[in-house]
Amino acid sequence: MPWWRSWPISRNATAEPPGMIATTPEPPYYAVIFTSVRREEDDGYTATAARMLELARRQPGFLGFESARDGVGISVSYWRSLEDIAAWREHAEHREAQRRAARWYRSYRVRICRVEKAYGS
Amino acid sequence: MPWWRSWPISRNATAEPPGMIATTPEPPYYAVIFTSVRREEDDGYTATAARMLELARRQPGFLGFESARDGVGISVSYWRSLEDIAAWREHAEHREAQRRAARWYRSYRVRICRVEKAYGS
């Protein structure tokens, strides 16, 4: 059984595993694009990243998550509102992880976006 | 010399290679998040993807590009305006590539976003 199958999934979260396209509602909604270049040492990164995703999925307004890394890492989380994003940013355990960011990333950029249109197949 | 060093870079484009964090101006600007799951066969995909990025970099309003794939692929292109995004979408060679999308992707999603806030290190 892949590890993500055992995750607690809240009523707010879509059930897609990592490596899938998130199923999101009709726009408008919000996206946080987190682009990063990691340092070589793990130094607790993998465990913290898994924990943060587990926590994010339980937050009010969480809509979905997509992530890929090869060289650069791109993680996109989708949210109902800017207020939901702000509340997640202030979550105590998430704040603690943010304080350790310099340990894990050579550089990163966070972009907060309003999704205005979406289509696909 | 890595292949991307020989690319023609227009006045509009940032010079970052694939695998880097894009250098973008102060918000607001726009992002196109393209998330996809590929088919196994290449079938011209790699050459077309490189050509599309080369073309996109030369379009008016192109600001930058980030891309990673492991399982799911996430490519984000950044643009000055919705009009610039619409013009690129209608570019004849890009339209031809869009018509072949079903050949390369099991599924994909395009999300057009307004970047409202950005920060990082």
Side-chain angles (χ1 to χ4, degrees), chain A residues 41-86:
Chain A
E41 297 264 313
D42 186 84
D43 198 12
Y45 168 80
T46 303
T48 304
R51 172 65 178 158
M52 288 306 112
L53 180 52
E54 179 196 335
L55 268 180
R57 284 177 187 272
R58 296 184 201 169
Q59 301 310 305
F62 177 87
L63 299 176
F65 181 77
E66 296 165 343
S67 187
R69 178 175 300 278
D70 69 75
V72 75
I74 306 176
S75 296
V76 189
S77 58
Y78 298 102
W79 300 86
R80 186 180 50 194
S81 72
L82 289 174
E83 292 69 28
D84 293 323
I85 292 170

Side-chain angles (χ1 to χ4, degrees), chain A residues 87-107:
Chain A
W88 167 233
R89 191 183 176 188
E90 296 306 316
H91 184 290
E93 203 174 330
H94 189 202
R95 292 271 288 178
E96 179 56 32
Q98 290 166 45
R99 274 192 286 274
R100 282 173 285 160
R103 186 189 293 187
W104 296 318
Y105 302 113
R106 285 187 200 286
S107 62

Side-chain angles (χ1 to χ4, degrees), chain B:
Chain B
M1 186 171 84
W3 58 275
W4 46 262
R5 287 232 188 258
S6 62
W7 281 10
I9 301 292
S10 83
R11 285 165 307 171
N12 294 309
T14 53
E16 83 283 352
M20 299 287 277
I21 299 176
T23 303
T24 40
E26 282 298 299
Y29 53 91
Y30 290 82
V32 180
I33 306 172
F34 180 77
T35 312
S36 64
V37 177
R38 282 194 50 200
R39 298 188 188 283
E40 281 166 33
E41 297 265 313
D42 186 83
D43 198 11
Y45 168 80
T46 302
T48 305
R51 171 67 179 156
M52 288 305 112
L53 179 52
E54 180 195 336
L55 269 180
R57 284 177 187 272
R58 296 184 202 169
Q59 301 310 305
F62 177 86
L63 299 176
F65 181 75
E66 296 166 343
S67 187
R69 178 175 301 278
D70 68 75
V72 74
I74 307 176
S75 296
V76 189
S77 58
Y78 298 102
W79 299 86
R80 185 181 50 194
S81 72
L82 288 174
E83 291 69 27
D84 293 324
I85 293 170
W88 167 232
R89 191 182 176 187
E90 296 307 316
H91 183 290
E93 202 173 331
H94 190 202
R95 291 271 288 178
E96 178 57 31
Q98 290 166 45
R99 274 192 287 276
R100 284 173 284 161
R103 185 188 294 187
W104 296 317
Y105 301 112
R106 286 188 198 286
S107 61
Y108 67 88
R109 184 140 288 267
V110 177
R111 293 181 175 96
I112 298 173
C113 316
R114 179 183 151 97
V115 180
E116 305 200 335
K117 192 175 164 187
Y119 58 91
S121 73

